[in-house]
Structure formats: C-alpha cells, structure tokens
Amino acid sequence: MEERCGKMDEKSGKDTGKKIRLAGKDSIERMEVRIGPKKDVVFGSDSGSPVMIAGPCAVESEEQVLRIAEAVRIAGAVALRGGAFKPRTSPYEFQGHGEEALRWLAKARDATGLPIVTEAVDEESLRLVVEYADVIQIGARNSQNFALLKAAGKTQKPVLLKRGMAQSVNEWVLAAEHIMVQGNMNVILCERGIKTFGDHARATLDIAAIAAAKSISCLPVIADPSHAAGDVKFVPPLAKAALAGGADGLIIEVHNNPEKALCDAKQQLDLNQFSELMDEMRRLKLV
Ligand code: PEP
Ligand code: MN
C-alpha cells in the first residue's frame, strides 16, 4: 500500500490534498474487487462478464428473500441484494427488519451460494453488516458521511459505494479514497442517478459519470438502474444503456410481488421481468 500513497509535491509545494491517490490510476489501470466466501465473484475483470446483483429493496421475510434469491440465481444473478436497514425519506415509512433480516439474508446465501450485499446506515448497523454480509453498501444519502466511510475502511469487507445525488464524480472518487486510506482497497463505485430538473424519472442516470469515474479511477464502476428509474418501465432501457456505456455490473431491485412491496414498489421488477431482462441482455451480448 505504501508505494501507492502519493506524497506532497515537494518541488512546487502545491497542496496535493485533493489528489486521488489510492483510487486513482497512478500505479494500476484497473483494479479487481472480489466478493463472497469463495471470492469468486469478480468486479472489474477485463475478461469476465459484468456482475449482476439482484434482490428486493428491503428484506421483508425469510420466505420472501429465499424465494427471490433462488429465482434471481436461476435467471443469472451472481449476488443478492436486500436492505435490512433502510434509509427512508420519511421516519414513518418502513425502516427495515434490522438484524433479523441479516439472518434471513445469510440463510438465503447458504441456500443459493449468492454473496450478500446490504446497506449499513451508521456505525452500529455497520458492525452487524460486517458480521453477516459479504459486501457493505453505503447509500447515496451517506456517500459523504466521512465517519461511516472511515469505519468501513477499517474493515476488510468490500464496499459498494453509491454516488451521492448531488455529488461530482471527483467528490465520489474522493469518498472512495476515504475508505481506502484506512486500508480497505475493496471498493466498488455505483452510479445510481442524480437530482436534475427532469421529473420524468426518479433520478437522472448519469451514463457519462460511469465513463468519467473509470477515466480517473482504477475502481470498478457499476450502475443501479432501479433507483434512477423509479418505475419498472424505465429499468430495462437504463440497465442496457449502463452496460453498453461500460458499467462493470448492475444492481437491480427484484420482488416476488412488487405491488405489495414495503418500499420502492413502483421500481421493482417481478421475477419474470428480471428473467426476461437477463435474456434480452444476453441476446444483446451485454452480459
Ligand atoms: C438502496 O439501494 O436500497 C438504496 C437506498 O439506494 P440509494 O442509496 O442509491 O438511494
Ligand atoms: Mn430501493
């Protein structure tokens, strides 16, 4: 790690504090991040196919997550998502089943072999996520929560770092740097849409940001078409656009009964829709 740490520019005496060092390209063009108990799911590999992560917005019950995990595995997903701790806009909305949901996720991993990706919203939930999960998700709302980034950096668990809704690409990569400088190099960036004047979709999936992040950083970059779309009908086109634009993978919300979902009902694909999208992406040779 030492040789990858930049130094102050002694000649010019310039402040290099904003330089992207560990997450940059100075010593490595592309970095692979491996996840799962067998470390066999690889992000950012030049030879492998894009990594598909799928699962519900929130883990609602053991049966629900087991059923979805099995279906998305058969359809071609290689990792399972599902929120146990949900950052919600309103405090009156469902906040997640917490540690119990982590136990259900672990059962789903045992049943299917799919590594688990789940969000930590604060340092307390981070400790639990580290105990049960394979990847710590840090969400858009926490993408500049430096205490949380630092705490995630002190673990060796891979981190999926969403881009903040009003964060420049440079700020996003520097947020990854906050994790890496603590010693955890296993960071995956995730573009999930930003706030713009457009109101036709929940957010604006910034395809250029995928290329821009890859141009300044060695880290793998994936996309989340679900939170950008906010509506099932926009998820497939955004998923395909992100892969065509160079994303190293996707994270997609899938539910066995989206109408009854406890959160993000409008944007979750049902099991058939996810399977059809995977078929379509295979036909287009995107995965
Ligand atoms: C999520 O993936 O469950 C989520 C809350 O995403 P974001 O942080 O991108 O809104
Ligand atoms: Mn969601």
Side-chain angles (χ1 to χ4, degrees):
M1 178 177 146
E2 208 125 282
E3 74 274 10
R4 297 192 53 210
C5 293
K7 290 201 180 84
M8 278 292 280
D9 186 345
E10 278 154 22
K11 265 193 211 145
S12 67
K14 270 196 189 138
D15 175 13
T16 57
K18 286 213 173 79
K19 187 168 158 37
I20 295 163
R21 296 174 182 174
L22 304 170
K25 283 173 170 293
D26 285 355
S27 53
I28 184 169
E29 180 61 24
R30 264 163 84 62
M31 192 157 81
E32 286 184 357
V33 176
R34 297 177 166 266
I35 69 160
K38 297 192 201 133
K39 300 274 173 235
D40 55 350
V41 174
V42 188
F43 291 82
S45 145
D46 283 328
S47 48
S49 52
V51 175
M52 301 300 300
I53 308 167
C57 176
V59 176
E60 298 173 8
S61 71
E62 184 176 333
E63 298 68 41
Q64 176 239 22
V65 74
L66 281 169
R67 169 124 193 260
I68 297 171
E70 189 56 22
V72 299
R73 183 190 66 77
I74 291 167
V78 294
L80 176 68
R81 67 149 286 146
F85 301 93
K86 296 302 304 173
R88 303 306 301 278
T89 301
S90 160
Y92 309 116
E93 292 172 310
F94 176 58
Q95 307 288 307
H97 284 303
E99 187 170 5
E100 195 172 27
L102 294 176
R103 281 196 285 271
W104 298 333
L105 280 167
K107 282 193 181 166
R109 175 183 50 212
D110 290 347
T112 60
L114 298 180
I116 301 163
V117 181
T118 193
E119 181 163 355
V121 292
D122 51 24
E123 290 179 59
E124 196 184 329
S125 54
L126 176 73
R127 275 189 288 279
L128 290 167
V129 167
V130 167
E131 193 181 316
Y132 289 93
D134 301 288
V135 178
I136 305 161
Q137 180 176 319
I138 295 188
R141 291 156 191 81
N142 267 319
S143 66
Q144 283 183 307
N145 177 340
F146 299 119
L148 187 59
L149 297 172
K150 189 172 177 181
K154 287 188 170 147
T155 78
Q156 280 302 311
K157 274 283 165 198
V159 180
L160 191 152
L161 178 64
K162 297 272 192 106
R163 179 182 177 196
M165 293 174 221
Q167 196 176 31
S168 72
V169 169
N170 210 65
E171 288 164 344
W172 179 28
V173 177
L174 280 168
E177 193 83 11
H178 273 270
I179 299 168
M180 297 171 83
V181 81
Q182 297 299 323
N184 186 354
M185 299 294 145
N186 304 302
V187 184
I188 302 150
L189 298 171
C190 179
E191 161 62 31
R192 51 79 71 209
I194 52 171
K195 294 230 187 222
T196 66
F197 57 84
D199 58 3
H200 50 281
R202 185 173 174 184
T204 299
L205 188 70
D206 185 357
I207 303 285
I210 299 169
K214 291 178 87 160
S215 78
I216 59 168
S217 166
C218 61
L219 299 174
V221 184
I222 70 164
D224 173 349
S226 302
H227 288 89
D231 190 310
V232 161
K233 65 179 180 291
F234 298 138
V235 174
L238 294 184
K240 290 180 272 184
L243 289 181
D248 296 303
L250 298 175
I251 179 166
I252 299 185
E253 287 190 340
V254 180
H255 197 285
N256 55 322
N257 188 0
E259 265 175 47
K260 293 267 157 65
L262 295 181
C263 67
D264 287 351
K266 269 177 66 189
Q267 72 196 30
Q268 303 205 57
L269 301 185
D270 68 24
L271 304 180
N272 278 332
Q273 287 166 330
F274 179 66
S275 175
E276 281 167 16
L277 173 59
M278 288 298 297
D279 286 344
E280 164 83 349
M281 293 194 297
R282 274 190 284 265
R283 250 194 317 277
L284 293 169
K285 302 209 175 344
L286 291 168
V287 290

Short mmCIF file of all heavy atoms in Angstrom, two decimals, residues 18-64:
data_model
loop_
_atom_site.label_atom_id
_atom_site.label_comp_id
_atom_site.label_asym_id
_atom_site.label_seq_id
_atom_site.Cartn_x
_atom_site.Cartn_y
_atom_site.Cartn_z
N LYS A 18 -6.11 17.24 -2.49
CA LYS A 18 -7.30 16.76 -3.20
C LYS A 18 -6.94 15.72 -4.24
O LYS A 18 -7.79 15.29 -5.02
CB LYS A 18 -8.05 17.93 -3.84
CG LYS A 18 -8.80 18.78 -2.84
CD LYS A 18 -10.07 19.35 -3.45
CE LYS A 18 -10.93 20.06 -2.44
NZ LYS A 18 -10.47 21.41 -2.12
N LYS A 19 -5.68 15.33 -4.30
CA LYS A 19 -5.26 14.36 -5.31
C LYS A 19 -5.86 12.99 -4.99
O LYS A 19 -5.91 12.57 -3.84
CB LYS A 19 -3.73 14.28 -5.33
CG LYS A 19 -3.19 13.43 -6.46
CD LYS A 19 -1.70 13.64 -6.58
CE LYS A 19 -0.96 12.53 -7.26
NZ LYS A 19 -1.57 11.87 -8.35
N ILE A 20 -6.34 12.35 -6.06
CA ILE A 20 -6.83 10.99 -5.91
C ILE A 20 -5.62 10.07 -5.97
O ILE A 20 -4.94 10.02 -6.98
CB ILE A 20 -7.85 10.66 -7.02
CG1 ILE A 20 -9.08 11.54 -6.87
CG2 ILE A 20 -8.23 9.19 -7.00
CD1 ILE A 20 -9.96 11.60 -8.09
N ARG A 21 -5.33 9.42 -4.89
CA ARG A 21 -4.10 8.62 -4.82
C ARG A 21 -4.40 7.14 -4.95
O ARG A 21 -4.16 6.52 -5.97
CB ARG A 21 -3.37 8.92 -3.51
CG ARG A 21 -2.93 10.39 -3.48
CD ARG A 21 -2.34 10.80 -2.17
NE ARG A 21 -2.01 12.23 -2.25
CZ ARG A 21 -1.58 12.94 -1.24
NH1 ARG A 21 -1.38 12.39 -0.06
NH2 ARG A 21 -1.31 14.21 -1.39
N LEU A 22 -4.99 6.56 -3.92
CA LEU A 22 -5.22 5.11 -3.93
C LEU A 22 -6.27 4.70 -4.96
O LEU A 22 -6.18 3.65 -5.57
CB LEU A 22 -5.63 4.65 -2.53
CG LEU A 22 -4.63 5.03 -1.44
CD1 LEU A 22 -5.21 4.76 -0.07
CD2 LEU A 22 -3.32 4.29 -1.64
N ALA A 23 -7.29 5.54 -5.12
CA ALA A 23 -8.37 5.20 -6.06
C ALA A 23 -8.04 5.63 -7.49
O ALA A 23 -8.80 5.36 -8.41
CB ALA A 23 -9.68 5.87 -5.62
N GLY A 24 -6.88 6.29 -7.67
CA GLY A 24 -6.50 6.79 -8.99
C GLY A 24 -5.84 5.74 -9.85
O GLY A 24 -5.89 4.55 -9.57
N LYS A 25 -5.22 6.23 -10.92
CA LYS A 25 -4.66 5.29 -11.89
C LYS A 25 -3.13 5.34 -11.93
O LYS A 25 -2.52 4.79 -12.84
CB LYS A 25 -5.18 5.66 -13.29
CG LYS A 25 -6.60 5.23 -13.55
CD LYS A 25 -7.02 5.82 -14.87
CE LYS A 25 -8.33 5.28 -15.36
NZ LYS A 25 -8.35 3.89 -15.72
N ASP A 26 -2.51 6.03 -10.96
CA ASP A 26 -1.07 6.21 -11.00
C ASP A 26 -0.31 4.89 -11.08
O ASP A 26 0.63 4.76 -11.83
CB ASP A 26 -0.60 6.98 -9.76
CG ASP A 26 -0.94 8.45 -9.87
OD1 ASP A 26 -1.46 8.84 -10.95
OD2 ASP A 26 -0.73 9.19 -8.89
N SER A 27 -0.74 3.92 -10.29
CA SER A 27 0.05 2.69 -10.28
C SER A 27 -0.71 1.49 -10.82
O SER A 27 -0.12 0.43 -11.01
CB SER A 27 0.57 2.40 -8.87
OG SER A 27 -0.50 2.42 -7.98
N ILE A 28 -1.98 1.62 -11.06
CA ILE A 28 -2.74 0.49 -11.60
C ILE A 28 -3.89 1.04 -12.44
O ILE A 28 -4.56 2.00 -12.05
CB ILE A 28 -3.22 -0.44 -10.45
CG1 ILE A 28 -3.93 -1.68 -10.99
CG2 ILE A 28 -4.10 0.26 -9.44
CD1 ILE A 28 -4.18 -2.74 -9.90
N GLU A 29 -4.09 0.46 -13.61
CA GLU A 29 -5.11 0.96 -14.54
C GLU A 29 -6.52 0.55 -14.09
O GLU A 29 -7.44 1.35 -14.03
CB GLU A 29 -4.77 0.40 -15.94
CG GLU A 29 -5.71 0.78 -17.07
CD GLU A 29 -5.79 2.28 -17.35
OE1 GLU A 29 -4.85 3.02 -17.01
OE2 GLU A 29 -6.84 2.71 -17.88
N ARG A 30 -6.64 -0.74 -13.77
CA ARG A 30 -7.93 -1.27 -13.35
C ARG A 30 -7.75 -2.21 -12.19
O ARG A 30 -6.88 -3.08 -12.22
CB ARG A 30 -8.57 -2.05 -14.51
CG ARG A 30 -9.55 -1.22 -15.33
CD ARG A 30 -9.84 -1.83 -16.67
NE ARG A 30 -10.89 -2.86 -16.67
CZ ARG A 30 -12.14 -2.67 -16.33
NH1 ARG A 30 -12.54 -1.49 -15.89
NH2 ARG A 30 -13.03 -3.63 -16.41
N MET A 31 -8.56 -2.04 -11.16
CA MET A 31 -8.43 -2.92 -10.01
C MET A 31 -9.63 -3.87 -9.95
O MET A 31 -10.76 -3.44 -10.17
CB MET A 31 -8.38 -2.08 -8.74
CG MET A 31 -7.96 -2.87 -7.54
SD MET A 31 -7.31 -1.77 -6.31
CE MET A 31 -8.81 -1.20 -5.58
N GLU A 32 -9.35 -5.12 -9.66
CA GLU A 32 -10.44 -6.08 -9.49
C GLU A 32 -10.87 -6.10 -8.03
O GLU A 32 -10.03 -5.99 -7.14
CB GLU A 32 -9.95 -7.49 -9.85
CG GLU A 32 -9.78 -7.70 -11.33
CD GLU A 32 -9.39 -9.13 -11.66
OE1 GLU A 32 -9.20 -9.96 -10.73
OE2 GLU A 32 -9.25 -9.42 -12.85
N VAL A 33 -12.15 -6.25 -7.80
CA VAL A 33 -12.65 -6.45 -6.43
C VAL A 33 -13.40 -7.78 -6.41
O VAL A 33 -14.31 -8.00 -7.21
CB VAL A 33 -13.56 -5.29 -5.98
CG1 VAL A 33 -14.14 -5.57 -4.59
CG2 VAL A 33 -12.77 -3.98 -5.95
N ARG A 34 -12.98 -8.65 -5.52
CA ARG A 34 -13.56 -10.00 -5.41
C ARG A 34 -14.43 -10.07 -4.17
O ARG A 34 -14.03 -9.62 -3.11
CB ARG A 34 -12.44 -11.04 -5.28
CG ARG A 34 -11.56 -11.07 -6.50
CD ARG A 34 -10.39 -12.04 -6.37
NE ARG A 34 -9.84 -12.23 -7.70
CZ ARG A 34 -10.19 -13.22 -8.50
NH1 ARG A 34 -11.02 -14.16 -8.09
NH2 ARG A 34 -9.70 -13.30 -9.72
N ILE A 35 -15.60 -10.67 -4.33
CA ILE A 35 -16.51 -10.78 -3.18
C ILE A 35 -16.97 -12.21 -2.96
O ILE A 35 -16.85 -13.06 -3.84
CB ILE A 35 -17.75 -9.86 -3.33
CG1 ILE A 35 -18.68 -10.34 -4.46
CG2 ILE A 35 -17.34 -8.42 -3.57
CD1 ILE A 35 -20.10 -9.81 -4.35
N GLY A 36 -17.54 -12.43 -1.78
CA GLY A 36 -18.15 -13.73 -1.46
C GLY A 36 -17.22 -14.61 -0.68
O GLY A 36 -16.01 -14.37 -0.64
N PRO A 37 -17.77 -15.65 -0.06
CA PRO A 37 -16.96 -16.56 0.75
C PRO A 37 -15.83 -17.19 -0.06
O PRO A 37 -14.74 -17.43 0.44
CB PRO A 37 -17.95 -17.64 1.22
CG PRO A 37 -19.31 -17.10 0.94
CD PRO A 37 -19.19 -16.02 -0.07
N LYS A 38 -16.10 -17.43 -1.36
CA LYS A 38 -15.05 -18.03 -2.20
C LYS A 38 -14.29 -17.00 -3.02
O LYS A 38 -13.45 -17.35 -3.84
CB LYS A 38 -15.69 -19.05 -3.15
CG LYS A 38 -16.36 -20.21 -2.43
CD LYS A 38 -16.69 -21.31 -3.45
CE LYS A 38 -17.77 -22.22 -2.91
NZ LYS A 38 -18.84 -22.50 -3.87
N LYS A 39 -14.65 -15.74 -2.85
CA LYS A 39 -14.01 -14.64 -3.61
C LYS A 39 -14.06 -14.92 -5.11
O LYS A 39 -13.13 -14.60 -5.86
CB LYS A 39 -12.54 -14.44 -3.16
CG LYS A 39 -12.39 -14.10 -1.70
CD LYS A 39 -12.54 -12.61 -1.47
CE LYS A 39 -12.57 -12.22 -0.02
NZ LYS A 39 -13.70 -11.46 0.44
N ASP A 40 -15.12 -15.56 -5.54
CA ASP A 40 -15.20 -15.94 -6.96
C ASP A 40 -16.12 -15.05 -7.79
O ASP A 40 -16.32 -15.28 -8.97
CB ASP A 40 -15.60 -17.42 -7.09
CG ASP A 40 -16.91 -17.72 -6.36
OD1 ASP A 40 -17.39 -16.84 -5.61
OD2 ASP A 40 -17.44 -18.82 -6.54
N VAL A 41 -16.70 -14.03 -7.16
CA VAL A 41 -17.47 -13.05 -7.93
C VAL A 41 -16.56 -11.83 -8.08
O VAL A 41 -16.15 -11.23 -7.09
CB VAL A 41 -18.80 -12.70 -7.21
CG1 VAL A 41 -19.52 -11.57 -7.93
CG2 VAL A 41 -19.68 -13.94 -7.10
N VAL A 42 -16.23 -11.53 -9.33
CA VAL A 42 -15.17 -10.55 -9.58
C VAL A 42 -15.70 -9.32 -10.33
O VAL A 42 -16.26 -9.44 -11.42
CB VAL A 42 -14.03 -11.19 -10.42
CG1 VAL A 42 -12.84 -10.24 -10.51
CG2 VAL A 42 -13.61 -12.53 -9.83
N PHE A 43 -15.50 -8.16 -9.73
CA PHE A 43 -15.87 -6.89 -10.37
C PHE A 43 -14.63 -6.29 -11.04
O PHE A 43 -13.55 -6.32 -10.46
CB PHE A 43 -16.34 -5.88 -9.31
CG PHE A 43 -17.65 -6.22 -8.68
CD1 PHE A 43 -17.70 -7.14 -7.63
CD2 PHE A 43 -18.84 -5.63 -9.10
CE1 PHE A 43 -18.91 -7.46 -7.02
CE2 PHE A 43 -20.05 -5.94 -8.49
CZ PHE A 43 -20.09 -6.86 -7.46
N GLY A 44 -14.82 -5.77 -12.23
CA GLY A 44 -13.72 -5.04 -12.87
C GLY A 44 -12.73 -5.93 -13.57
O GLY A 44 -11.62 -5.49 -13.89
N SER A 45 -13.13 -7.17 -13.85
CA SER A 45 -12.20 -8.05 -14.55
C SER A 45 -12.28 -7.75 -16.05
O SER A 45 -13.36 -7.50 -16.58
CB SER A 45 -12.59 -9.51 -14.26
OG SER A 45 -12.36 -10.31 -15.38
N ASP A 46 -11.13 -7.76 -16.72
CA ASP A 46 -11.13 -7.46 -18.16
C ASP A 46 -11.74 -8.61 -18.95
O ASP A 46 -12.28 -8.41 -20.02
CB ASP A 46 -9.71 -7.18 -18.64
CG ASP A 46 -9.29 -5.77 -18.24
OD1 ASP A 46 -10.16 -4.89 -18.19
OD2 ASP A 46 -8.09 -5.58 -17.95
N SER A 47 -11.66 -9.81 -18.40
CA SER A 47 -12.14 -10.97 -19.15
C SER A 47 -13.55 -11.42 -18.76
O SER A 47 -14.31 -11.89 -19.59
CB SER A 47 -11.15 -12.13 -18.97
OG SER A 47 -10.86 -12.27 -17.61
N GLY A 48 -13.91 -11.24 -17.49
CA GLY A 48 -15.21 -11.75 -17.02
C GLY A 48 -16.38 -10.91 -17.50
O GLY A 48 -16.21 -9.81 -18.03
N SER A 49 -17.59 -11.43 -17.30
CA SER A 49 -18.76 -10.66 -17.72
C SER A 49 -19.21 -9.74 -16.57
O SER A 49 -18.82 -9.94 -15.41
CB SER A 49 -19.89 -11.60 -18.15
OG SER A 49 -20.12 -12.54 -17.15
N PRO A 50 -20.04 -8.74 -16.89
CA PRO A 50 -20.50 -7.82 -15.84
C PRO A 50 -21.21 -8.58 -14.71
O PRO A 50 -21.88 -9.57 -14.96
CB PRO A 50 -21.48 -6.91 -16.58
CG PRO A 50 -21.14 -7.03 -18.02
CD PRO A 50 -20.58 -8.40 -18.21
N VAL A 51 -21.04 -8.08 -13.51
CA VAL A 51 -21.60 -8.75 -12.33
C VAL A 51 -23.04 -8.29 -12.11
O VAL A 51 -23.30 -7.09 -11.99
CB VAL A 51 -20.74 -8.41 -11.08
CG1 VAL A 51 -21.38 -9.00 -9.83
CG2 VAL A 51 -19.32 -8.94 -11.26
N MET A 52 -23.96 -9.25 -12.05
CA MET A 52 -25.36 -8.90 -11.84
C MET A 52 -25.75 -9.17 -10.39
O MET A 52 -25.70 -10.31 -9.92
CB MET A 52 -26.25 -9.75 -12.75
CG MET A 52 -25.95 -9.58 -14.24
SD MET A 52 -26.17 -7.88 -14.81
CE MET A 52 -27.88 -7.67 -14.43
N ILE A 53 -26.17 -8.09 -9.70
CA ILE A 53 -26.65 -8.20 -8.32
C ILE A 53 -28.16 -7.93 -8.39
O ILE A 53 -28.58 -6.96 -9.02
CB ILE A 53 -26.01 -7.12 -7.42
CG1 ILE A 53 -24.48 -7.13 -7.53
CG2 ILE A 53 -26.46 -7.29 -5.96
CD1 ILE A 53 -23.81 -5.90 -6.91
N ALA A 54 -28.95 -8.78 -7.76
CA ALA A 54 -30.40 -8.57 -7.80
C ALA A 54 -31.02 -8.98 -6.48
O ALA A 54 -30.45 -9.80 -5.74
CB ALA A 54 -31.01 -9.35 -8.96
N GLY A 55 -32.19 -8.43 -6.21
CA GLY A 55 -32.90 -8.77 -4.98
C GLY A 55 -33.83 -7.65 -4.58
O GLY A 55 -33.88 -6.60 -5.24
N PRO A 56 -34.55 -7.84 -3.49
CA PRO A 56 -35.55 -6.85 -3.12
C PRO A 56 -34.94 -5.56 -2.58
O PRO A 56 -33.80 -5.56 -2.12
CB PRO A 56 -36.33 -7.55 -2.00
CG PRO A 56 -35.35 -8.50 -1.40
CD PRO A 56 -34.48 -8.96 -2.53
N CYS A 57 -35.73 -4.50 -2.62
CA CYS A 57 -35.30 -3.25 -1.99
C CYS A 57 -35.07 -3.56 -0.52
O CYS A 57 -33.97 -3.37 -0.02
CB CYS A 57 -36.39 -2.19 -2.16
SG CYS A 57 -36.00 -0.65 -1.32
N ALA A 58 -36.11 -4.07 0.14
CA ALA A 58 -35.99 -4.41 1.56
C ALA A 58 -36.25 -5.90 1.76
O ALA A 58 -37.10 -6.48 1.08
CB ALA A 58 -37.01 -3.62 2.38
N VAL A 59 -35.53 -6.48 2.70
CA VAL A 59 -35.80 -7.86 3.11
C VAL A 59 -37.06 -7.82 3.98
O VAL A 59 -37.08 -7.13 5.00
CB VAL A 59 -34.61 -8.43 3.90
CG1 VAL A 59 -34.93 -9.82 4.41
CG2 VAL A 59 -33.36 -8.44 3.03
N GLU A 60 -38.10 -8.53 3.55
CA GLU A 60 -39.39 -8.43 4.26
C GLU A 60 -39.70 -9.65 5.11
O GLU A 60 -40.40 -9.56 6.10
CB GLU A 60 -40.51 -8.17 3.24
CG GLU A 60 -40.30 -6.85 2.49
CD GLU A 60 -41.28 -6.63 1.36
OE1 GLU A 60 -42.23 -7.42 1.21
OE2 GLU A 60 -41.07 -5.67 0.60
N SER A 61 -39.23 -10.82 4.68
CA SER A 61 -39.44 -12.04 5.46
C SER A 61 -38.43 -13.08 4.97
O SER A 61 -37.84 -12.93 3.89
CB SER A 61 -40.86 -12.59 5.28
OG SER A 61 -41.01 -13.12 3.97
N GLU A 62 -38.28 -14.14 5.74
CA GLU A 62 -37.35 -15.20 5.34
C GLU A 62 -37.82 -15.84 4.03
O GLU A 62 -37.03 -16.04 3.11
CB GLU A 62 -37.29 -16.25 6.46
CG GLU A 62 -36.30 -17.34 6.18
CD GLU A 62 -36.16 -18.34 7.34
OE1 GLU A 62 -36.40 -17.96 8.50
OE2 GLU A 62 -35.80 -19.49 7.05
N GLU A 63 -39.14 -16.12 3.94
CA GLU A 63 -39.69 -16.78 2.74
C GLU A 63 -39.47 -15.89 1.53
O GLU A 63 -39.09 -16.35 0.46
CB GLU A 63 -41.20 -17.04 2.88
CG GLU A 63 -41.60 -17.97 4.02
CD GLU A 63 -41.36 -17.37 5.40
OE1 GLU A 63 -41.63 -16.16 5.60
OE2 GLU A 63 -40.87 -18.09 6.29
N GLN A 64 -39.75 -14.58 1.70
CA GLN A 64 -39.61 -13.65 0.57
C GLN A 64 -38.19 -13.65 0.03
O GLN A 64 -37.96 -13.78 -1.17
CB GLN A 64 -40.00 -12.23 1.03
CG GLN A 64 -39.81 -11.13 -0.01
CD GLN A 64 -38.85 -10.03 0.43
OE1 GLN A 64 -38.00 -10.23 1.31
NE2 GLN A 64 -38.97 -8.87 -0.17
#
